[in-house]
Amino acid sequence: MTTRPPSKPTPSAAVEVAAVELMECSHTEPRRSQRIKKGPASVTSVTPCEAFSSFAEKTLVIVPAHNEEECVGDVVRRLQERGFLRIRVVDNGSTDATARIAATAGAEVLSIAERGYGLACWEGALELPEGIAWLLYCNADASDDFDAYEHFAKLASDHDLILGARNHPEDRRHLSAPQRFGNWLAPFLIRRLWGHSFSDLGPQRAIRVDAYRKLNLQDRGFGWTIEMQIRAIEENLRVIEIPVRNFPRPAGQSKISGNLYGSVMAGLIILRTLAHLKFYGRTPSEKNQIAHRATGGTEGKHAGQISP
């Protein structure tokens, strides 16, 4: 990977916040196209169901997972029920049956021994299948708002990065106190340092493949999400936030909010990443990767792959 120089956001870059209306789309009985008369000829309008089908066909869902055997199978099945057929679960150093259960449910499974949320996200985006135009990142703990993906599809044609913002008052109680503080502090600092407003750093997001490659993301830990958002500002991507629900996981324990130490460490990593991006133009992980490559490191090679 090449080291990128610090880039400056353009004044026209903006983060759009959407109040998205519910789409009427039945997954069991999709509606047909409607013909609209216009002069002597007729044109075909695209229904919400058609927009979603087109989005789903061109999307690879990436699900980072560490010890999520109790939830990951249900996540894969729920994604399939909504029309996503290309689902890649990245087993991030699990010691349980996460990989086997995900593969049995029908997902493609990549297994990597080294831990790291950003590493799992990055590995999942390697060697993309033909025809993929979007990457959709999804939690493995069944806490995501699956109904929001219809909104993602509706907005895809006019945006490069779609962010799910977990701002519903009832749902914020599922976040730990350090998480809530970090989700206030990091957007506040981004607003002060880059002049752009975000309301959350949530993991539920979709990004165009060409835009993703332009960002050249380097963080391999919990700084992945904030690096993506800052780099999107710097590259003047068309970014939008939409409200999503954040549900309590049905089983298992969160790797972040499940314990105070994990929450505090994740917050510190995010803030450190933010500082490095602003003042040095690279993340701490990027410095480590440069040294790793200089000593003959093999980052980027899949440790194993399991097909359904």
Side-chain angles (χ1 to χ4, degrees):
M1 293 184 184
T2 58
T3 303
R4 61 170 185 272
S7 56
K8 296 181 180 180
T10 61
S12 60
V15 177
E16 184 180 353
V17 180
V20 184
E21 297 180 357
L22 291 176
M23 297 174 64
E24 298 178 359
C25 181
S26 168
H27 296 287
T28 56
E29 298 181 2
R31 296 186 296 178
R32 297 181 180 275
S33 301
Q34 297 176 344
R35 304 292 295 186
I36 299 177
K37 295 292 185 180
K38 189 174 182 180
S42 62
V43 295
T44 303
S45 68
V46 178
T47 67
C49 283
E50 289 175 327
F52 181 81
S53 296
S54 177
F55 176 71
E57 289 171 1
K58 299 176 182 177
T59 297
L60 174 67
V61 185
I62 299 174
V63 187
H66 173 71
N67 289 345
E68 293 289 358
E69 63 179 3
E70 296 174 284
C71 299
V72 70
D74 183 55
V75 168
V76 173
R77 285 186 290 271
R78 291 173 70 183
L79 287 166
Q80 291 169 337
E81 289 170 359
R82 280 159 174 77
F84 295 105
L85 300 180
R86 292 190 272 197
I87 304 167
R88 180 175 287 179
V89 173
V90 184
D91 177 23
N92 191 205
S94 296
T95 56
D96 62 4
T98 293
R100 177 178 59 80
I101 291 173
T104 300
E108 174 193 3
V109 178
L110 301 179
S111 293
I112 55 176
E114 188 177 351
R115 294 277 302 277
Y117 177 77
L119 177 62
C121 291
W122 180 74
E123 286 274 0
L126 296 176
E127 301 176 13
L128 297 180
E130 185 178 354
I132 292 297
W134 282 87
L135 303 176
L136 173 62
Y137 289 93
C138 176
N139 277 327
D141 61 4
S143 64
D144 284 345
D145 185 352
F146 288 85
D147 291 335
Y149 296 133
E150 292 178 2
H151 310 328
F152 280 49
K154 185 178 180 179
L155 297 165
S157 62
D158 298 319
H159 298 89
D160 303 307
L161 174 61
I162 305 170
L163 303 169
R166 306 162 296 177
N167 295 326
H168 194 283
E170 183 180 342
D171 298 337
R172 294 187 69 81
R173 60 189 175 88
H174 303 314
L175 303 176
S176 67
Q179 278 184 299
R180 289 194 295 271
F181 176 73
N183 275 356
W184 169 83
L185 180 59
F188 170 78
L189 293 175
I190 292 174
R191 186 166 58 252
R192 293 298 300 269
L193 296 174
W194 278 270
H196 296 268
S197 297
F198 291 108
S199 62
D200 193 14
L201 304 175
Q204 192 173 4
R205 56 186 60 204
I207 185 168
R208 288 184 184 274
V209 169
D210 54 353
Y212 169 81
R213 289 170 174 161
K214 184 185 296 185
L215 300 185
N216 189 25
L217 300 179
Q218 301 295 328
D219 196 276
R220 300 294 181 256
F222 286 115
W224 171 271
T225 56
I226 194 170
E227 184 188 9
M228 179 182 289
Q229 289 170 228
I230 290 173
R231 291 287 296 123
I233 293 171
E234 294 176 339
E235 294 293 339
N236 198 22
L237 298 188
R238 299 171 298 171
V239 183
I240 188 169
E241 280 189 321
I242 66 170
V244 298
R245 298 297 303 271
N246 177 51
F247 300 104
R249 58 161 52 236
Q253 184 181 46
S254 171
K255 311 308 178 294
I256 301 178
S257 59
N259 63 85
L260 180 61
Y261 176 79
S263 298
V264 171
M265 289 305 299
L268 291 175
I269 290 170
I270 289 172
L271 293 176
R272 184 182 65 168
T273 300
L274 188 152
H276 275 261
L277 284 168
K278 180 60 180 179
F279 299 109
Y280 301 105
R282 62 172 61 164
T283 69
S285 295
E286 187 173 354
K287 291 184 176 181
N288 293 336
Q289 289 166 34
I290 294 171
H292 184 62
R293 290 194 298 270
T295 57
T298 58
E299 182 187 25
K301 296 182 179 179
H302 294 315
Q305 180 169 336
I306 304 174
S307 297

